[in-house]
Amino acid sequence: MRTPAKDMKESTMNRLKFLGTAGARFVVTKQLRASGGMWLTLDGTNLFIDPGPGALVRCLSSKPKLNPMDLDGIILTHRHIDHSNDINIMIEAMTNGGFKKKGLVFAPRDALEGDPVILKYIRTQVEQIEILHEKGTYRVGTLTISTPLQLHHGVETYGLNISGKHGSLSLITDTNYFEGLASAFRGDILILNVVMLEDRSDIEHLCIPEAAMIIDENKPKLAILTHFGMNVVKAKPWEIAENLTKKLGVPVIAAQDGMSIDIDRYLIS
Ligand SMILES: [Zn+2]
């Protein structure tokens, strides 16, 4: 049986938890993998990134349970439904049903205007909405977030660099590969959304060979693959990760639903 002391330790350590690893529409709509996004705890700050379908349910069914009230902020990299579906309910959960005005929400402008994915009445519940833009720098709790580049993904999309006291994480979310992509995201830990096994010019997503090129160029302390499309799921992502580890000499892991990574060992040298 889990002791309260152990719960306390797990809730305060620096970690990255995957509440979903699905990418592309079939893996998401059939829920072959969960699609809840990521929860980052770093230096006492709790951030949720890309609350896709099931984010709230996965938080509450997580072991130990993740309490959205503990969040300091929610980041939306772009408006696509597999990233944004639960953003409104996660804001409501972060703010205790809207009764405690708190937290920051970061989102591209097109998630807020036109056909907004963040509802207007929900926006009043948070302390502040920050609009992401290219070369932006933002603060949340103890952390600094930067969005050096707009990615190539049809809708307005930003990759993230998140820096804490002892190191940094980068997230290259949905994008086509392009010159200069790797060098903008040089975090100690590099998370890559890799939807495809092989390149397809008609789909603006990274494939495994492109992810390998980026990892090889940046040589992070740890690379994490996630957001898998059907062909990647079928090809056993854990085997792909193992092969890349051997080939590139960099630890590469394939995220799994519910996986919690102790990130301290990669940040504190
Ligand atoms: Zn997308």
Side-chain angles (χ1 to χ4, degrees):
M1 205 174 128
R2 190 175 290 280
T3 62
K6 189 165 181 215
D7 275 346
M8 180 63 76
K9 186 167 175 283
E10 285 201 15
S11 65
T12 53
M13 66 194 237
N14 292 327
R15 68 170 177 190
L16 177 65
K17 182 149 190 171
F18 287 86
L19 299 169
T21 56
R25 56 195 71 188
F26 297 119
V27 181
V28 176
T29 55
K30 294 174 193 302
Q31 288 289 290
L32 300 178
R33 293 264 184 138
S35 51
M38 287 168 249
W39 180 300
L40 172 67
T41 300
L42 183 56
D43 303 338
T45 297
N46 291 308
L47 268 185
F48 204 98
I49 303 167
D50 284 349
L56 178 61
V57 170
R58 296 278 165 179
C59 280
L60 299 179
S61 61
S62 187
K63 290 192 175 58
K65 186 159 114 177
L66 294 167
N67 183 354
M69 275 285 286
D70 293 338
L71 286 169
D72 299 285
I74 302 173
I75 307 178
L76 187 62
T77 64
H78 66 293
R79 57 176 283 121
H80 283 155
I81 198 164
D82 52 331
H83 298 253
S84 69
N85 188 78
D86 272 17
I87 183 104
N88 293 294
I89 195 63
M90 283 301 293
I91 292 172
E92 193 141 302
M94 173 171 74
T95 58
N96 196 27
F99 285 101
K100 185 169 169 42
K101 195 176 175 88
K102 69 181 270 273
L104 302 180
V105 170
F106 304 85
R109 187 174 292 281
D110 71 355
L112 298 155
E113 293 179 355
D115 176 21
V117 294
I118 304 180
L119 299 171
K120 288 182 181 168
Y121 86 91
I122 293 279
R123 296 177 202 176
T124 61
Q125 297 173 357
V126 303
E127 203 177 304
Q128 202 169 335
I129 306 246
E130 296 264 16
I131 296 175
L132 298 176
H133 56 86
E134 196 163 274
K135 298 193 174 72
T137 303
Y138 312 86
R139 295 279 306 174
V140 54
T142 54
L143 308 179
T144 302
I145 299 165
S146 68
T147 46
L149 280 183
Q150 183 167 341
L151 304 183
H152 297 186
H153 190 51
V155 298
E156 198 179 348
T157 304
Y158 296 97
L160 306 172
N161 289 320
I162 302 172
S163 304
K165 269 189 296 205
H166 301 291
S168 58
L169 296 95
S170 294
L171 167 64
I172 301 182
T173 184
D174 297 2
T175 184
N176 236 348
Y177 182 82
F178 57 94
E179 196 72 36
L181 174 61
S183 61
F185 299 100
R186 292 197 173 274
D188 297 306
I189 296 174
L190 175 61
I191 307 155
L192 297 123
N193 283 11
V194 193
V195 167
M196 293 179 302
L197 206 50
E198 281 156 10
D199 190 30
R200 271 183 57 182
S201 55
D202 57 326
I203 298 180
E204 290 183 310
H205 277 293
L206 292 179
C207 63
I208 295 291
E210 290 164 341
M213 270 164 48
I214 295 167
I215 296 167
D216 196 32
E217 182 178 334
N218 284 9
K219 295 270 191 289
K221 291 178 188 160
L222 173 70
I224 307 169
L225 312 178
T226 187
H227 210 66
F228 305 127
M230 189 75 91
N231 287 337
V232 180
V233 171
K234 282 185 188 159
K236 302 179 181 163
W238 58 94
E239 287 185 3
I240 294 170
E242 207 177 296
N243 290 336
L244 289 178
T245 301
K246 282 183 201 145
K247 192 172 145 197
L248 305 175
V250 171
V252 181
I253 56 177
Q256 294 171 29
D257 294 342
M259 179 186 264
S260 180
I261 300 171
D262 171 5
I263 54 178
D264 276 333
R265 52 190 290 218
Y266 302 101
L267 299 181
I268 302 165
S269 46

mmCIF file of all heavy atoms in Angstrom, residues 70-105:
data_model
loop_
_atom_site.group_PDB
_atom_site.id
_atom_site.type_symbol
_atom_site.label_atom_id
_atom_site.label_comp_id
_atom_site.label_asym_id
_atom_site.label_seq_id
_atom_site.Cartn_x
_atom_site.Cartn_y
_atom_site.Cartn_z
ATOM 1 N N ASP A 70 -3.609 22.037 -8.706
ATOM 2 C CA ASP A 70 -2.189 22.299 -8.430
ATOM 3 C C ASP A 70 -1.483 22.962 -9.608
ATOM 4 O O ASP A 70 -0.309 23.322 -9.509
ATOM 5 C CB ASP A 70 -1.450 20.980 -8.114
ATOM 6 C CG ASP A 70 -1.927 20.357 -6.803
ATOM 7 O OD1 ASP A 70 -2.478 21.101 -5.964
ATOM 8 O OD2 ASP A 70 -1.764 19.135 -6.642
ATOM 9 N N LEU A 71 -2.167 23.098 -10.746
ATOM 10 C CA LEU A 71 -1.512 23.663 -11.931
ATOM 11 C C LEU A 71 -1.274 25.167 -11.782
ATOM 12 O O LEU A 71 -2.127 25.899 -11.270
ATOM 13 C CB LEU A 71 -2.367 23.426 -13.181
ATOM 14 C CG LEU A 71 -2.390 21.995 -13.721
ATOM 15 C CD1 LEU A 71 -3.476 21.854 -14.789
ATOM 16 C CD2 LEU A 71 -1.027 21.590 -14.280
ATOM 17 N N ASP A 72 -0.106 25.590 -12.275
ATOM 18 C CA ASP A 72 0.200 27.022 -12.351
ATOM 19 C C ASP A 72 -0.102 27.565 -13.741
ATOM 20 O O ASP A 72 -0.243 28.774 -13.909
ATOM 21 C CB ASP A 72 1.685 27.247 -12.036
ATOM 22 C CG ASP A 72 2.039 26.775 -10.640
ATOM 23 O OD1 ASP A 72 1.681 27.484 -9.698
ATOM 24 O OD2 ASP A 72 2.612 25.682 -10.495
ATOM 25 N N GLY A 73 -0.152 26.679 -14.711
ATOM 26 C CA GLY A 73 -0.423 27.143 -16.068
ATOM 27 C C GLY A 73 -0.729 26.013 -17.024
ATOM 28 O O GLY A 73 -0.451 24.840 -16.743
ATOM 29 N N ILE A 74 -1.338 26.393 -18.145
ATOM 30 C CA ILE A 74 -1.648 25.442 -19.218
ATOM 31 C C ILE A 74 -1.142 26.058 -20.523
ATOM 32 O O ILE A 74 -1.406 27.236 -20.794
ATOM 33 C CB ILE A 74 -3.169 25.182 -19.316
ATOM 34 C CG1 ILE A 74 -3.712 24.652 -17.977
ATOM 35 C CG2 ILE A 74 -3.467 24.190 -20.448
ATOM 36 C CD1 ILE A 74 -5.230 24.525 -17.930
ATOM 37 N N ILE A 75 -0.417 25.261 -21.284
ATOM 38 C CA ILE A 75 0.112 25.741 -22.571
ATOM 39 C C ILE A 75 -0.546 24.963 -23.696
ATOM 40 O O ILE A 75 -0.618 23.732 -23.655
ATOM 41 C CB ILE A 75 1.636 25.515 -22.680
ATOM 42 C CG1 ILE A 75 2.362 26.100 -21.473
ATOM 43 C CG2 ILE A 75 2.171 26.119 -23.970
ATOM 44 C CD1 ILE A 75 3.869 25.863 -21.505
ATOM 45 N N LEU A 76 -0.974 25.712 -24.677
ATOM 46 C CA LEU A 76 -1.527 25.104 -25.890
ATOM 47 C C LEU A 76 -0.567 25.432 -27.035
ATOM 48 O O LEU A 76 -0.369 26.609 -27.345
ATOM 49 C CB LEU A 76 -2.912 25.717 -26.147
ATOM 50 C CG LEU A 76 -3.748 25.119 -27.260
ATOM 51 C CD1 LEU A 76 -4.064 23.660 -26.980
ATOM 52 C CD2 LEU A 76 -5.049 25.917 -27.396
ATOM 53 N N THR A 77 0.030 24.404 -27.640
ATOM 54 C CA THR A 77 0.991 24.681 -28.727
ATOM 55 C C THR A 77 0.275 25.067 -30.016
ATOM 56 O O THR A 77 0.802 25.809 -30.819
ATOM 57 C CB THR A 77 1.923 23.481 -29.009
ATOM 58 O OG1 THR A 77 1.131 22.367 -29.478
ATOM 59 C CG2 THR A 77 2.706 23.089 -27.768
ATOM 60 N N HIS A 78 -0.938 24.515 -30.201
ATOM 61 C CA HIS A 78 -1.758 24.891 -31.361
ATOM 62 C C HIS A 78 -3.178 24.375 -31.185
ATOM 63 O O HIS A 78 -3.469 23.605 -30.279
ATOM 64 C CB HIS A 78 -1.137 24.427 -32.678
ATOM 65 C CG HIS A 78 -1.062 22.937 -32.859
ATOM 66 N ND1 HIS A 78 -0.253 22.129 -32.098
ATOM 67 C CD2 HIS A 78 -1.688 22.100 -33.741
ATOM 68 C CE1 HIS A 78 -0.373 20.877 -32.500
ATOM 69 N NE2 HIS A 78 -1.249 20.825 -33.494
ATOM 70 N N ARG A 79 -4.056 24.838 -32.069
ATOM 71 C CA ARG A 79 -5.488 24.678 -31.856
ATOM 72 C C ARG A 79 -6.069 23.322 -32.286
ATOM 73 O O ARG A 79 -7.251 23.071 -32.055
ATOM 74 C CB ARG A 79 -6.257 25.798 -32.580
ATOM 75 C CG ARG A 79 -5.974 25.865 -34.055
ATOM 76 C CD ARG A 79 -6.817 26.921 -34.765
ATOM 77 N NE ARG A 79 -8.156 26.435 -34.953
ATOM 78 C CZ ARG A 79 -9.260 27.019 -34.485
ATOM 79 N NH1 ARG A 79 -9.181 28.148 -33.827
ATOM 80 N NH2 ARG A 79 -10.435 26.509 -34.699
ATOM 81 N N HIS A 80 -5.298 22.466 -32.905
ATOM 82 C CA HIS A 80 -5.860 21.186 -33.361
ATOM 83 C C HIS A 80 -6.488 20.429 -32.194
ATOM 84 O O HIS A 80 -5.999 20.438 -31.068
ATOM 85 C CB HIS A 80 -4.782 20.324 -34.043
ATOM 86 C CG HIS A 80 -4.466 20.778 -35.432
ATOM 87 N ND1 HIS A 80 -3.272 20.535 -36.056
ATOM 88 C CD2 HIS A 80 -5.232 21.473 -36.330
ATOM 89 C CE1 HIS A 80 -3.294 21.050 -37.277
ATOM 90 N NE2 HIS A 80 -4.469 21.626 -37.462
ATOM 91 N N ILE A 81 -7.558 19.694 -32.512
ATOM 92 C CA ILE A 81 -8.405 19.105 -31.467
ATOM 93 C C ILE A 81 -7.670 18.063 -30.619
ATOM 94 O O ILE A 81 -7.961 17.916 -29.428
ATOM 95 C CB ILE A 81 -9.701 18.527 -32.094
ATOM 96 C CG1 ILE A 81 -10.770 18.309 -31.019
ATOM 97 C CG2 ILE A 81 -9.427 17.269 -32.897
ATOM 98 C CD1 ILE A 81 -12.163 18.126 -31.569
ATOM 99 N N ASP A 82 -6.692 17.373 -31.212
ATOM 100 C CA ASP A 82 -5.960 16.374 -30.408
ATOM 101 C C ASP A 82 -5.037 17.031 -29.380
ATOM 102 O O ASP A 82 -4.506 16.356 -28.501
ATOM 103 C CB ASP A 82 -5.196 15.375 -31.302
ATOM 104 C CG ASP A 82 -4.304 16.018 -32.332
ATOM 105 O OD1 ASP A 82 -4.606 17.144 -32.782
ATOM 106 O OD2 ASP A 82 -3.290 15.401 -32.703
ATOM 107 N N HIS A 83 -4.892 18.362 -29.470
ATOM 108 C CA HIS A 83 -4.098 19.114 -28.487
ATOM 109 C C HIS A 83 -4.967 19.982 -27.588
ATOM 110 O O HIS A 83 -4.571 20.305 -26.480
ATOM 111 C CB HIS A 83 -3.089 20.017 -29.211
ATOM 112 C CG HIS A 83 -2.098 19.241 -30.022
ATOM 113 N ND1 HIS A 83 -0.786 19.098 -29.648
ATOM 114 C CD2 HIS A 83 -2.258 18.521 -31.163
ATOM 115 C CE1 HIS A 83 -0.166 18.322 -30.539
ATOM 116 N NE2 HIS A 83 -1.041 17.978 -31.470
ATOM 117 N N SER A 84 -6.144 20.377 -28.091
ATOM 118 C CA SER A 84 -6.912 21.423 -27.406
ATOM 119 C C SER A 84 -8.264 20.980 -26.868
ATOM 120 O O SER A 84 -8.935 21.756 -26.184
ATOM 121 C CB SER A 84 -7.160 22.578 -28.391
ATOM 122 O OG SER A 84 -8.062 22.168 -29.412
ATOM 123 N N ASN A 85 -8.663 19.760 -27.147
ATOM 124 C CA ASN A 85 -10.043 19.352 -26.835
ATOM 125 C C ASN A 85 -10.466 19.628 -25.393
ATOM 126 O O ASN A 85 -11.577 20.056 -25.136
ATOM 127 C CB ASN A 85 -10.211 17.859 -27.117
ATOM 128 C CG ASN A 85 -11.652 17.407 -27.016
ATOM 129 O OD1 ASN A 85 -12.428 17.639 -27.928
ATOM 130 N ND2 ASN A 85 -12.019 16.791 -25.901
ATOM 131 N N ASP A 86 -9.562 19.368 -24.447
ATOM 132 C CA ASP A 86 -9.912 19.505 -23.027
ATOM 133 C C ASP A 86 -9.434 20.819 -22.414
ATOM 134 O O ASP A 86 -9.413 20.948 -21.191
ATOM 135 C CB ASP A 86 -9.331 18.331 -22.223
ATOM 136 C CG ASP A 86 -10.276 17.121 -22.190
ATOM 137 O OD1 ASP A 86 -11.197 17.066 -23.040
ATOM 138 O OD2 ASP A 86 -10.097 16.238 -21.325
ATOM 139 N N ILE A 87 -9.036 21.782 -23.236
ATOM 140 C CA ILE A 87 -8.470 23.015 -22.656
ATOM 141 C C ILE A 87 -9.482 23.731 -21.765
ATOM 142 O O ILE A 87 -9.137 24.203 -20.676
ATOM 143 C CB ILE A 87 -7.898 23.964 -23.753
ATOM 144 C CG1 ILE A 87 -7.265 25.201 -23.113
ATOM 145 C CG2 ILE A 87 -8.934 24.450 -24.743
ATOM 146 C CD1 ILE A 87 -5.803 25.215 -23.067
ATOM 147 N N ASN A 88 -10.734 23.798 -22.191
ATOM 148 C CA ASN A 88 -11.721 24.537 -21.387
ATOM 149 C C ASN A 88 -11.994 23.855 -20.053
ATOM 150 O O ASN A 88 -12.025 24.501 -19.009
ATOM 151 C CB ASN A 88 -13.008 24.722 -22.187
ATOM 152 C CG ASN A 88 -12.787 25.631 -23.369
ATOM 153 O OD1 ASN A 88 -12.521 26.813 -23.206
ATOM 154 N ND2 ASN A 88 -12.856 25.078 -24.572
ATOM 155 N N ILE A 89 -12.167 22.547 -20.079
ATOM 156 C CA ILE A 89 -12.458 21.840 -18.830
ATOM 157 C C ILE A 89 -11.223 21.805 -17.929
ATOM 158 O O ILE A 89 -11.346 21.843 -16.695
ATOM 159 C CB ILE A 89 -13.040 20.432 -19.108
ATOM 160 C CG1 ILE A 89 -13.680 19.846 -17.842
ATOM 161 C CG2 ILE A 89 -12.013 19.479 -19.665
ATOM 162 C CD1 ILE A 89 -14.846 20.619 -17.309
ATOM 163 N N MET A 90 -10.036 21.792 -18.519
ATOM 164 C CA MET A 90 -8.824 21.840 -17.683
ATOM 165 C C MET A 90 -8.672 23.205 -17.018
ATOM 166 O O MET A 90 -8.222 23.299 -15.876
ATOM 167 C CB MET A 90 -7.581 21.504 -18.515
ATOM 168 C CG MET A 90 -7.415 20.023 -18.807
ATOM 169 S SD MET A 90 -7.294 18.967 -17.336
ATOM 170 C CE MET A 90 -5.730 19.502 -16.647
ATOM 171 N N ILE A 91 -9.059 24.266 -17.725
ATOM 172 C CA ILE A 91 -9.027 25.599 -17.100
ATOM 173 C C ILE A 91 -10.024 25.619 -15.938
ATOM 174 O O ILE A 91 -9.720 26.085 -14.839
ATOM 175 C CB ILE A 91 -9.354 26.706 -18.134
ATOM 176 C CG1 ILE A 91 -8.235 26.833 -19.160
ATOM 177 C CG2 ILE A 91 -9.595 28.039 -17.428
ATOM 178 C CD1 ILE A 91 -8.552 27.761 -20.328
ATOM 179 N N GLU A 92 -11.201 25.069 -16.196
ATOM 180 C CA GLU A 92 -12.215 25.064 -15.132
ATOM 181 C C GLU A 92 -11.742 24.224 -13.930
ATOM 182 O O GLU A 92 -11.977 24.587 -12.782
ATOM 183 C CB GLU A 92 -13.546 24.537 -15.679
ATOM 184 C CG GLU A 92 -14.679 24.798 -14.723
ATOM 185 C CD GLU A 92 -15.973 25.193 -15.416
ATOM 186 O OE1 GLU A 92 -15.972 26.203 -16.150
ATOM 187 O OE2 GLU A 92 -16.965 24.499 -15.220
ATOM 188 N N ALA A 93 -11.065 23.123 -14.212
ATOM 189 C CA ALA A 93 -10.555 22.276 -13.120
ATOM 190 C C ALA A 93 -9.400 22.965 -12.379
ATOM 191 O O ALA A 93 -9.297 22.878 -11.152
ATOM 192 C CB ALA A 93 -10.107 20.925 -13.667
ATOM 193 N N MET A 94 -8.546 23.663 -13.113
ATOM 194 C CA MET A 94 -7.418 24.383 -12.496
ATOM 195 C C MET A 94 -7.916 25.467 -11.549
ATOM 196 O O MET A 94 -7.291 25.767 -10.537
ATOM 197 C CB MET A 94 -6.538 25.009 -13.595
ATOM 198 C CG MET A 94 -5.426 25.912 -13.094
ATOM 199 S SD MET A 94 -4.274 26.425 -14.399
ATOM 200 C CE MET A 94 -5.252 27.641 -15.293
ATOM 201 N N THR A 95 -9.058 26.045 -11.891
ATOM 202 C CA THR A 95 -9.581 27.193 -11.131
ATOM 203 C C THR A 95 -10.715 26.790 -10.189
ATOM 204 O O THR A 95 -11.542 27.634 -9.819
ATOM 205 C CB THR A 95 -10.073 28.285 -12.106
ATOM 206 O OG1 THR A 95 -11.083 27.705 -12.964
ATOM 207 C CG2 THR A 95 -8.954 28.806 -12.973
ATOM 208 N N ASN A 96 -10.735 25.531 -9.821
ATOM 209 C CA ASN A 96 -11.762 25.024 -8.895
ATOM 210 C C ASN A 96 -13.169 25.362 -9.388
ATOM 211 O O ASN A 96 -13.972 25.967 -8.672
ATOM 212 C CB ASN A 96 -11.526 25.577 -7.481
ATOM 213 C CG ASN A 96 -12.296 24.788 -6.427
ATOM 214 O OD1 ASN A 96 -12.584 23.609 -6.633
ATOM 215 N ND2 ASN A 96 -12.632 25.438 -5.317
ATOM 216 N N GLY A 97 -13.413 24.983 -10.626
ATOM 217 C CA GLY A 97 -14.730 25.229 -11.213
ATOM 218 C C GLY A 97 -14.978 26.699 -11.516
ATOM 219 O O GLY A 97 -16.126 27.133 -11.662
ATOM 220 N N GLY A 98 -13.897 27.444 -11.624
ATOM 221 C CA GLY A 98 -14.038 28.865 -11.924
ATOM 222 C C GLY A 98 -14.187 29.731 -10.685
ATOM 223 O O GLY A 98 -14.284 30.957 -10.780
ATOM 224 N N PHE A 99 -14.153 29.122 -9.505
ATOM 225 C CA PHE A 99 -14.350 29.886 -8.261
ATOM 226 C C PHE A 99 -13.060 30.493 -7.717
ATOM 227 O O PHE A 99 -13.095 31.373 -6.878
ATOM 228 C CB PHE A 99 -15.015 29.013 -7.183
ATOM 229 C CG PHE A 99 -16.478 28.802 -7.446
ATOM 230 C CD1 PHE A 99 -16.942 27.612 -8.002
ATOM 231 C CD2 PHE A 99 -17.397 29.819 -7.193
ATOM 232 C CE1 PHE A 99 -18.287 27.431 -8.272
ATOM 233 C CE2 PHE A 99 -18.748 29.646 -7.466
ATOM 234 C CZ PHE A 99 -19.199 28.443 -8.015
ATOM 235 N N LYS A 100 -11.913 29.970 -8.189
ATOM 236 C CA LYS A 100 -10.646 30.550 -7.730
ATOM 237 C C LYS A 100 -9.883 31.043 -8.961
ATOM 238 O O LYS A 100 -9.333 30.248 -9.721
ATOM 239 C CB LYS A 100 -9.829 29.504 -6.974
ATOM 240 C CG LYS A 100 -8.559 30.063 -6.375
ATOM 241 C CD LYS A 100 -7.926 29.062 -5.422
ATOM 242 C CE LYS A 100 -6.520 29.412 -4.981
ATOM 243 N NZ LYS A 100 -6.260 30.780 -4.641
ATOM 244 N N LYS A 101 -9.886 32.346 -9.150
ATOM 245 C CA LYS A 101 -9.223 32.918 -10.323
ATOM 246 C C LYS A 101 -7.720 32.721 -10.174
ATOM 247 O O LYS A 101 -7.101 33.275 -9.263
ATOM 248 C CB LYS A 101 -9.556 34.415 -10.378
ATOM 249 C CG LYS A 101 -9.270 35.091 -11.694
ATOM 250 C CD LYS A 101 -9.745 36.537 -11.631
ATOM 251 C CE LYS A 101 -9.375 37.304 -12.882
ATOM 252 N NZ LYS A 101 -10.364 37.197 -13.944
ATOM 253 N N LYS A 102 -7.153 31.907 -11.005
ATOM 254 C CA LYS A 102 -5.720 31.640 -10.894
ATOM 255 C C LYS A 102 -5.175 31.036 -12.185
ATOM 256 O O LYS A 102 -5.937 30.588 -13.043
ATOM 257 C CB LYS A 102 -5.431 30.675 -9.730
ATOM 258 C CG LYS A 102 -5.923 29.239 -9.966
ATOM 259 C CD LYS A 102 -5.619 28.348 -8.780
ATOM 260 C CE LYS A 102 -4.272 27.671 -8.878
ATOM 261 N NZ LYS A 102 -4.299 26.384 -9.609
ATOM 262 N N GLY A 103 -3.860 31.041 -12.276
ATOM 263 C CA GLY A 103 -3.195 30.326 -13.362
ATOM 264 C C GLY A 103 -3.045 31.146 -14.636
ATOM 265 O O GLY A 103 -3.764 32.118 -14.867
ATOM 266 N N LEU A 104 -2.054 30.736 -15.416
ATOM 267 C CA LEU A 104 -1.816 31.375 -16.701
ATOM 268 C C LEU A 104 -2.154 30.386 -17.809
ATOM 269 O O LEU A 104 -1.956 29.182 -17.651
ATOM 270 C CB LEU A 104 -0.342 31.776 -16.841
ATOM 271 C CG LEU A 104 0.219 32.717 -15.770
ATOM 272 C CD1 LEU A 104 1.684 33.009 -16.045
ATOM 273 C CD2 LEU A 104 -0.566 34.016 -15.769
ATOM 274 N N VAL A 105 -2.656 30.924 -18.902
ATOM 275 C CA VAL A 105 -2.913 30.092 -20.084
ATOM 276 C C VAL A 105 -2.142 30.709 -21.251
ATOM 277 O O VAL A 105 -2.203 31.924 -21.465
ATOM 278 C CB VAL A 105 -4.425 30.014 -20.402
ATOM 279 C CG1 VAL A 105 -4.664 29.360 -21.757
ATOM 280 C CG2 VAL A 105 -5.150 29.241 -19.304
#
